[in-house]
Amino acid sequence: MTELEHRTPDLAWNAWGTADAATPVSDQVRGLLEAFLGVEHRDTPSVDRSEVRLGETRLPAEARAALAGIVGDDAIRTDDETRLLHSGGKSTPDLLRRRAGDAGAAPDAVVLPADHDQVCAVLARCAEHRIAVVPFGGGTSVVGGVEPERGGFTSLISLDLRRLDRLVAVDADSRTATLQAGLRGPEAEALLAEHGFTLGHFPQSFEHASIGGFAATRSSGQASAGYGRFDAAVLRMRVATPSGELDLGRAPASAAGPDLRQLFLGSEGAFGIITEVTARVHPLPAEVESEGWSFPDFDAGSAALRRLAQEEALPTVARLSDETETWINLSAAHDVGEGGGPGGCLLITRYEGARVAVSARARALLTEAGGEPLGAEPAESWAHGRYHGPYLRDALLDVNALAETLETATTWSRLAETRAAVQDAVTEALAEQGTPPLVLCHLSHVYPAGASLYFTVVCARAEDPVRQWRRAKEAAGAAISRVGATITHHHAVGLDHRPWLVDEIGELGAQVLRAVKSAVDPVGVLNPGKLIP
Amino acid sequence: MTELEHRTPDLAWNAWGTADAATPVSDQVRGLLEAFLGVEHRDTPSVDRSEVRLGETRLPAEARAALAGIVGDDAIRTDDETRLLHSGGKSTPDLLRRRAGDAGAAPDAVVLPADHDQVCAVLARCAEHRIAVVPFGGGTSVVGGVEPERGGFTSLISLDLRRLDRLVAVDADSRTATLQAGLRGPEAEALLAEHGFTLGHFPQSFEHASIGGFAATRSSGQASAGYGRFDAAVLRMRVATPSGELDLGRAPASAAGPDLRQLFLGSEGAFGIITEVTARVHPLPAEVESEGWSFPDFDAGSAALRRLAQEEALPTVARLSDETETWINLSAAHDVGEGGGPGGCLLITRYEGARVAVSARARALLTEAGGEPLGAEPAESWAHGRYHGPYLRDALLDVNALAETLETATTWSRLAETRAAVQDAVTEALAEQGTPPLVLCHLSHVYPAGASLYFTVVCARAEDPVRQWRRAKEAAGAAISRVGATITHHHAVGLDHRPWLVDEIGELGAQVLRAVKSAVDPVGVLNPGKLIP
């Protein structure tokens, strides 16, 4: 096995994650889907791998030779297997398309540079040869962020960063670590653990997503209440662009003009490729306390979280499910259909390391706010399944159902209005198509000024599920935009949220993005069609 | 008194703040300056107001009429008094120049728009008539940020924002407030106090500086350990530019692409004029605890602060003086020359509101780190004089001495090296000119990954004090740049730090700034010569 092969994980081409972690839906759940959502009992499996249509590879020999001169010939892959694994991310329309056998947009080649300098050289060469470049980290985008959109270019490569997998440096005094962009979550954590540290960044995509992706999409992890968002953890970053390189960030804080890091954080590969990140790290927690709480309703639970945030008493993890999600999760954890389990809303709390010091104060505030402690079990049960959610989507797609998640964030004063607006819009858009949905909601990223809202939508699958999805997505986006919330709190913009970005930043904001783009990528080869309105 | 006159504070044209707050240096201090720094006993007063040379006003009648059509004739001032008060900020070279009678660069007119729309219209008109615009808030820049540099334009106006002085809205649930840019610190606090809130932003310039200035310069206050930097408090902002307006920020956090707020925070009027800011506010603290601590040396004290920051136990104010500053301050507080007072390094701590909850844990950590509690007195004495520092500079300029402050920030692991490099460079540059200085240092903004270092430099005045200052400044900037620290943690870039910005962000970073500039200010009328390399 060569060094390069060693680094190709065994990921599913038509589903989330790895095939061995998939779990089919039980007959009992199928029964409930039929009873509650009218999902007709029918299997809707993916086509077989052998039936997938990939386009021809169109990388001109001259361009290939130029790239091979940089990365070596064995680091340019044009085999169908590798191209298929880079033919998109993990958004619901991505998966629906590939499950139907369509991978026609697959990149012409997958290029695997070994280091920052090779990334710089590849980008310069691609600009020269007019080859579109889609950066590829974990490939877990759920918003079309790594779709191989050609944007008018004839050829397109996927630039896979998996070989940039080193822990470059640890500064134990300053509690920072410098990590290469291609490191996956678990690899990064394993390397940091040798030094006694953790990033504390555990998004649902943790098992597969990469450091570069966390930065390029402003990822936020399940422990964001304690460790913060990934963008806030980044002190320094190296970025390769077709116009040259950037090394940004010299201090924990600065007044030296605009913060240019903030242009590349969230730039989703459209401005450059983040090759290295210096981020805050935390000691591996010696102590962990977990506790579930029950609140009479979502408003009471969110008011309690608001107090914790505003009184500087947040746990490391704080996660409040609405009534429906609470019912579903507790039923699933115990025995489906047992008769509902406890009512109200479940709050998961978890205190790690230094944050354990606030737990007594937090508990007092939660009690005062009407919460009832449920012991450790619900929090441990949540932790056990914390990365499993996306596999459930695949299982539902197999049984004639459709599942999708979407999220936003807003201020506390607009939280209830925003939640209702999104729920109503999605429900109406799907009901109109004859597939009334179940909409679950939780609140999982909490700030003194507001919080995120995360929605899970499940319904019967329509004749044309991509069209069905699109109509629901458009309704949700319009509702979010109308109430003045952000179109995405942690999923990024990609293809799917691009229509609403101009609402959010205005036409002049879009012009600013285009001006930056023309400075760093004048030919426009970087990730065409994503992000920029 | 008209509404407009009412809003012109009685500021000194040749010194910090208001004339009534100035305090001359005592004979005893003069004696010490002579003994320790060789400052010859000689008065070096400012010229009289009547001797100041102002250039002619060069605003074409047509342009004036166009501007008057927007703001009204009485909101355009061309009298010498008003022009003089807008002829620069409060940097040491600014003051030296005006004290010598030179205000030749004064703006042709001072324009006082009433609201956001008028600011937008004025900027569009200035771009059309090719008139340079220097935004003017409190006018407290210590880095040449409001110098009337014409940048090739014949005419220049100072755009004074003092009439934008409303508290627009308070969102008590989300703990945010929307404030107009022209509000000064005390005015903003008074308005917020009516609702029970505070910004918690108290830089040394608090009494005079404005909300817009805080945002445009990434200001950091003395209570930053508890309330954070101003840039981090800004959720939403409105910006007027010659190309149109921006309304940025929809949620406490977002993954909707690059954070464009971060381009305008720190943009120092070069990209647009911030007219309104929605920022986090905090309940007025019901409880305040103050305590001084003594540490054996600066390294021990900074290690203690590092621990507080990394273990989430920071007070609201944390401020560590080095041995020299401790000696000077304690001597001054008691009786100068008493024989040194206690040795070691003084740490000021202050806990406000919710932060009182960490004080017991913080005290235990400080004790463990070798600190000795000194009771409340040193902290209360510091609080009493917290805004007075800049007046001392004026008093020293009057008695043949020179005083200046400068600051940087770096990671904990580079703190000692950075401190030594700056101290050595400044000392050498001034000793070479025959005026060996006293250099004091304190650490006053603390983060988990590092801290700021703030230096106060006092020496005898040379023949040409501007040249003397410049050589010392160049030595300090080169040293900061060489050790990889930031050229400014909270004073901003302005004119004085511009030579080092390109080191910090690279040539491509500078090109990105220029690209943004050309999108929002294609004619280049906004604050010429500042910030952008």
Side-chain angles (χ1 to χ4, degrees):
Chain A
M1 194 177 274
T2 70
E3 183 215 27
L4 283 165
E5 274 160 329
H6 171 71
R7 290 197 173 88
T8 306
D10 191 23
L11 291 173
W13 61 272
N14 59 355
W16 183 260
T18 53
D20 58 343
T23 321
V25 164
S26 68
D27 281 348
Q28 203 170 9
V29 171
R30 290 187 81 150
L32 289 170
L33 287 169
E34 187 158 13
F36 286 104
L37 297 173
V39 179
E40 200 187 315
H41 196 101
R42 185 157 68 85
D43 287 342
T44 49
S46 164
V47 302
D48 188 71
R49 166 68 189 89
S50 61
E51 296 168 58
V52 176
R53 302 172 301 280
L54 267 85
E56 287 297 300
T57 166
R58 283 172 286 180
L59 188 65
E62 194 194 2
R64 187 190 165 114
L67 295 174
I70 298 163
V71 297
D73 203 56
D74 63 342
I76 302 183
R77 302 296 175 83
T78 51
D79 62 284
D80 280 359
E81 206 55 38
T82 307
R83 291 173 60 218
L84 176 59
L85 283 173
H86 294 78
S87 65
K90 306 291 186 180
S91 76
T92 300
D94 279 353
L95 295 178
L96 288 168
R97 206 156 37 234
R98 287 205 292 286
R99 288 169 63 97
D102 178 5
D108 297 309
V110 177
V111 176
L112 298 129
D115 56 30
H116 172 82
D117 289 344
Q118 288 192 4
V119 176
C120 291
V122 165
L123 293 185
R125 206 61 73 241
C126 285
E128 192 184 315
H129 288 269
R130 301 184 58 80
I131 299 166
V133 182
V134 177
F136 199 95
T140 57
S141 173
V142 290
V143 293
V146 294
E147 280 296 282
E149 288 261 323
R150 288 172 190 257
F153 296 97
T154 310
S155 303
L156 178 144
I157 62 163
S158 176
L159 195 72
D160 189 314
L161 297 162
R162 71 186 61 216
R163 291 173 70 197
L164 280 74
D165 64 354
R166 283 197 309 118
L167 170 59
V168 179
V170 172
D171 178 346
D173 274 354
S174 310
R175 292 202 179 161
T176 67
T178 302
L179 300 142
Q180 287 189 324
L183 278 168
R184 315 288 154 128
E187 293 167 356
E189 286 297 322
L191 291 170
L192 289 170
E194 292 174 18
H195 298 265
F197 288 116
T198 174
L199 283 166
H201 187 69
F202 305 105
Q204 202 170 42
S205 60
F206 168 75
E207 297 172 303
H208 310 292
S210 67
I211 296 293
F214 294 154
T217 62
R218 295 185 177 271
S219 170
S220 193
Q222 292 164 347
S224 69
Y227 297 116
R229 296 166 60 83
F230 198 78
D231 51 12
V234 173
L235 269 89
R236 184 170 189 158
M237 57 204 295
R238 291 181 83 186
V239 185
T241 84
S243 299
E245 58 186 311
L246 290 148
D247 184 351
L248 298 169
R250 288 199 164 195
S254 172
D259 185 352
L260 293 179
R261 293 173 308 181
Q262 304 290 339
L263 273 183
F264 293 91
L265 292 165
S267 64
E268 303 183 20
F271 288 169
I273 294 185
I274 297 162
T275 59
E276 196 177 290
V277 156
T278 300
R280 282 187 62 197
V281 292
H282 309 265
L284 285 166
E287 238 184 309
V288 175
E289 291 177 15
S290 297
E291 191 167 38
W293 289 77
S294 179
F295 280 86
D297 56 41
F298 193 74
D299 286 350
S302 56
L305 287 182
R306 174 162 68 85
R307 260 195 96 181
L308 292 187
Q310 293 178 345
E311 305 204 6
E312 305 190 8
L314 274 177
T316 308
V317 174
R319 186 182 183 87
L320 175 73
S321 294
D322 72 358
E323 289 84 346
T324 315
E325 188 173 289
T326 299
W327 178 76
I328 300 263
N329 285 350
L330 285 185
S331 303
H334 299 293
D335 208 348
V336 184
E338 230 181 29
C345 287
L346 176 66
L347 169 68
I348 300 298
T349 65
R350 184 178 160 109
Y351 307 83
E352 299 186 2
R355 207 47 77 93
V356 170
V358 307
S359 67
R361 203 151 56 88
R363 284 193 185 103
L365 287 169
L366 290 173
T367 304
E368 204 180 302
E372 247 183 79
L374 302 175
E377 197 278 326
E380 281 161 8
S381 162
W382 166 80
H384 180 72
R386 65 193 289 186
Y387 305 126
H388 198 71
Y391 289 105
L392 183 61
R393 175 177 55 167
D394 297 316
L396 289 166
L397 292 181
D398 282 342
V399 296
N400 200 26
L402 189 73
E404 177 60 309
T405 61
L406 61 102
E407 38 80 58
T408 182
T410 188
T411 52
W412 291 112
S413 59
R414 289 174 163 209
L415 200 73
E417 179 199 0
T418 303
R419 178 166 162 249
V422 175
Q423 270 177 328
D424 291 352
V426 169
T427 301
E428 193 182 317
L430 287 166
E432 272 175 10
Q433 300 181 72
T435 55
L438 192 65
V439 183
L440 325 180
C441 179
H442 66 246
L443 192 159
S444 50
H445 304 271
V446 181
Y447 307 89
S452 73
L453 288 166
Y454 187 98
F455 301 90
T456 303
V457 185
V458 183
C459 64
R461 180 173 172 149
E463 189 74 35
D464 179 348
V466 173
R467 183 165 169 274
Q468 177 193 20
W469 172 89
R470 180 152 298 117
R471 284 176 61 182
K473 185 76 183 170
E474 280 169 5
I480 288 169
S481 196
R482 193 176 59 243
V483 297
T486 181
I487 194 64
T488 172
H489 169 269
H490 59 273
H491 280 174
V493 178
L495 279 180
D496 295 347
H497 293 138
R498 206 168 66 130
W500 295 282
L501 187 60
V502 75
D503 274 3
E504 188 150 342
I505 62 172
E507 185 42 52
L508 185 55
Q511 282 174 36
V512 169
L513 292 183
R514 289 182 206 113
V516 173
K517 173 91 173 168
S518 68
V520 292
D521 178 25
V523 183
V525 293
L526 281 174
N527 215 7
K530 315 306 160 18
L531 179 68
I532 298 168
Chain B
M1 191 180 277
T2 69
E3 181 214 30
L4 283 166
E5 273 160 326
H6 170 71
R7 290 199 174 88
T8 306
D10 191 22
L11 292 172
W13 61 272
N14 59 354
W16 183 262
T18 52
D20 58 342
T23 321
V25 165
S26 68
D27 281 347
Q28 204 172 7
V29 170
R30 290 186 81 150
L32 289 170
L33 288 169
E34 188 158 13
F36 285 105
L37 298 173
V39 179
E40 201 188 314
H41 196 101
R42 186 158 67 85
D43 288 341
T44 49
S46 165
V47 302
D48 188 73
R49 166 68 190 90
S50 61
E51 296 169 59
V52 176
R53 303 172 300 279
L54 269 85
E56 288 296 299
T57 166
R58 284 173 285 181
L59 188 65
E62 193 194 2
R64 189 192 162 112
L67 295 174
I70 298 163
V71 296
D73 203 55
D74 63 341
I76 302 183
R77 303 297 175 85
T78 51
D79 62 285
D80 280 359
E81 207 55 38
T82 306
R83 290 173 60 218
L84 177 58
L85 283 172
H86 293 78
S87 65
K90 305 291 186 181
S91 76
T92 300
D94 280 353
L95 295 179
L96 288 168
R97 210 160 30 238
R98 287 206 292 283
R99 288 168 63 95
D102 178 6
D108 297 309
V110 177
V111 176
L112 298 129
D115 56 30
H116 172 83
D117 289 344
Q118 288 192 3
V119 176
C120 291
V122 165
L123 293 186
R125 205 61 73 241
C126 285
E128 192 185 316
H129 288 269
R130 300 184 59 79
I131 299 166
V133 182
V134 177
F136 200 95
T140 57
S141 173
V142 290
V143 294
V146 294
E147 280 296 282
E149 288 262 323
R150 288 173 190 257
F153 296 97
T154 310
S155 304
L156 178 145
I157 62 163
S158 176
L159 195 72
D160 189 315
L161 297 162
R162 73 186 60 218
R163 291 173 71 196
L164 280 75
D165 64 355
R166 284 196 310 118
L167 170 60
V168 179
V170 172
D171 178 347
D173 274 353
S174 311
R175 291 203 180 162
T176 68
T178 302
L179 300 142
Q180 287 189 326
L183 278 168
R184 315 288 154 128
E187 293 167 357
E189 286 298 323
L191 291 170
L192 288 170
E194 292 174 19
H195 299 264
F197 288 116
T198 173
L199 282 166
H201 187 69
F202 305 104
Q204 202 170 41
S205 60
F206 168 74
E207 297 172 304
H208 310 291
S210 67
I211 296 294
F214 294 154
T217 62
R218 295 185 177 271
S219 171
S220 193
Q222 292 164 347
S224 70
Y227 298 116
R229 297 166 59 83
F230 197 78
D231 51 11
V234 174
L235 269 89
R236 185 170 189 160
M237 57 204 295
R238 290 181 83 186
V239 185
T241 84
S243 299
E245 59 185 309
L246 289 148
D247 184 351
L248 298 168
R250 288 199 164 195
S254 171
D259 185 351
L260 294 179
R261 293 172 309 181
Q262 303 291 337
L263 274 183
F264 293 90
L265 292 165
S267 65
E268 302 183 21
F271 288 169
I273 294 184
I274 298 162
T275 59
E276 196 178 289
V277 156
T278 300
R280 282 186 63 197
V281 292
H282 309 266
L284 285 166
E287 238 183 310
V288 175
E289 291 177 14
S290 297
E291 190 167 40
W293 289 76
S294 179
F295 279 86
D297 56 39
F298 193 74
D299 286 349
S302 56
L305 287 182
R306 174 163 67 83
R307 260 195 95 182
L308 292 187
Q310 294 178 344
E311 304 203 6
E312 305 190 7
L314 274 176
T316 308
V317 174
R319 185 182 184 88
L320 174 74
S321 294
D322 72 357
E323 290 84 346
T324 315
E325 188 172 289
T326 300
W327 178 77
I328 300 263
N329 284 350
L330 286 184
S331 303
H334 300 292
D335 207 348
V336 183
E338 228 180 29
C345 288
L346 176 66
L347 169 68
I348 300 298
T349 64
R350 185 179 159 108
Y351 307 84
E352 299 185 3
R355 208 47 78 91
V356 170
V358 307
S359 68
R361 203 151 56 88
R363 284 193 184 101
L365 288 168
L366 291 172
T367 304
E368 203 180 301
E372 246 183 79
L374 302 175
E377 196 279 326
E380 281 160 9
S381 162
W382 165 80
H384 179 73
R386 65 192 291 185
Y387 305 126
H388 198 73
Y391 290 105
L392 183 60
R393 175 176 55 167
D394 298 316
L396 289 166
L397 292 180
D398 282 341
V399 295
N400 201 27
L402 189 73
E404 177 60 310
T405 61
L406 60 103
E407 40 79 58
T408 181
T410 188
T411 53
W412 291 110
S413 60
R414 289 173 162 209
L415 199 73
E417 180 199 359
T418 303
R419 178 166 162 248
V422 174
Q423 269 177 329
D424 291 352
V426 169
T427 302
E428 193 183 315
L430 288 166
E432 271 175 11
Q433 299 181 73
T435 56
L438 193 66
V439 182
L440 325 179
C441 179
H442 65 246
L443 192 159
S444 49
H445 303 272
V446 182
Y447 307 89
S452 72
L453 288 166
Y454 188 98
F455 301 91
T456 303
V457 185
V458 183
C459 64
R461 180 172 170 150
E463 191 72 37
D464 180 347
V466 173
R467 183 163 170 274
Q468 177 193 20
W469 172 89
R470 181 153 297 120
R471 284 176 60 183
K473 185 75 183 171
E474 280 168 6
I480 288 169
S481 196
R482 193 176 59 244
V483 297
T486 182
I487 194 64
T488 173
H489 169 268
H490 60 273
H491 281 173
V493 177
L495 279 180
D496 294 348
H497 293 139
R498 205 169 64 131
W500 295 282
L501 186 61
V502 75
D503 274 4
E504 189 151 340
I505 62 172
E507 186 42 54
L508 185 55
Q511 282 175 36
V512 168
L513 292 183
R514 290 183 206 113
V516 173
K517 174 90 173 166
S518 68
V520 291
D521 178 24
V523 182
V525 293
L526 281 174
N527 215 6
K530 314 308 159 19
L531 179 68
I532 297 168

